[in-house]
Structures are given as C-alpha cells and as structure tokens.
Amino acid sequence: MRTLLIPFLLLTSPAAAWEATLADICILTHETDTAHVHLTYDPTKPLYTLAITRKDATWPEDPWFAIRFVGPNEITISTDKHALSDDGQTLNVADSGFSNVLDGLQFNAMALAGTQTDGEAIDLTDAAQEVQKFRDCASAQVS
C-alpha cells in the first residue's frame, strides 16, 4: 500500500503558481520542484529576458539552448546566444522580441527547456492568465 501512496502524493501536491508582477519592469515567474523561471520585459532597453535557475544542478556549457512547447500550439525555439551565470545554475536568454516564447507559454501544456545534454520540464498549467497579464504590462510600457 505504501508504494501506491507515494506516487499518489506526488501527483496531488500543489503546483507552484505562475505570477505576473506589473511595474516599471514587467516580471513573470514560476517555481518548479527543480527550477525557478523568471521572465522580464524592460521597456527602457527594450529587452525581454528569460532566466531558468536550477535549484540543485548546473546547466552544461552546450552550444545551443531550445524550448519545445508541447500542446495544441506546438513550437520549438532555439538559440546559440544563451549565457550561463551563477556558477552555471542559471541559463539566460535575451532578445528584443519574445512573442513566440509568450505564445508557447500561454497556449500550451508543457515546456521542455534544455540544451544538447540536459533540460527542465516546465508545467504550463494555469500559466495563460498570468502570461496575458505580462503581455498587457509589456504593451502598456511600449505605449
């Protein structure tokens, strides 16, 4: 009976919520068991950033980074312009446009973010409303 209860508890543990913070710099965050996801939009640059910080592991120094969004609007985005920080725990990407990333987060069920040799699965349950708030914040900053 114990062996059946442990997986059940894992499946029923509450998911960390997505959260949009609306200010001079727009912020969207999410916690998983293994990573912290942090997106920003800074209108003074203008620049979007994505940082995925691992809690108990480091990212490998691989030549590319990609996100595959899984769900009704699947898309894969890749770049070789990522950087590592925090002794390899944080993978950073920046660009002047993030519409494909935001579409992927808002309209899919799962994101698989990774390099050639390692990755993170990010649940997108309940992300849509907060992603829309982030988009609205970024649009207001442009106006």
Side-chain angles (χ1 to χ4, degrees):
M1 180 69 166
R2 278 188 221 182
T3 57
L4 294 175
L5 183 60
I6 292 170
F8 179 76
L9 290 173
L10 292 174
L11 292 174
T12 59
S13 62
W18 285 86
E19 183 177 359
T21 303
L22 314 178
D24 292 339
I25 295 176
C26 308
I27 301 170
L28 180 65
T29 59
H30 179 64
E31 293 284 333
T32 73
D33 290 340
T34 59
H36 174 77
V37 180
H38 187 93
L39 284 89
T40 65
Y41 174 70
D42 183 346
T44 64
K45 305 235 182 296
L47 189 67
Y48 289 89
T49 66
L50 167 65
I52 303 173
T53 303
R54 294 181 129 179
K55 294 179 180 177
D56 298 317
T58 58
W59 288 98
E61 292 191 31
D62 287 338
W64 56 261
F65 168 73
I67 301 178
R68 178 175 174 231
F69 294 101
V70 181
N73 296 300
E74 292 193 12
I75 185 172
T76 300
I77 305 162
S78 63
T79 184
D80 61 356
K81 295 179 175 40
H82 64 288
L84 301 180
S85 62
D86 302 323
D87 294 323
Q89 279 193 278
T90 302
L91 188 143
N92 304 283
V93 179
D95 201 340
S96 59
F98 255 37
S99 61
N100 286 339
V101 173
L102 297 176
D103 285 350
L105 293 171
Q106 190 168 6
F107 304 118
N108 287 292
M110 177 73 65
L112 304 172
T115 65
Q116 280 176 263
T117 59
D118 207 357
E120 291 287 334
I122 302 166
D123 184 5
L124 302 178
T125 303
D126 299 325
Q129 183 176 350
E130 295 301 303
V131 173
Q132 187 59 53
K133 287 180 186 177
F134 180 86
R135 284 181 189 266
D136 292 345
C137 176
S139 294
Q141 299 291 357
V142 173
S143 306

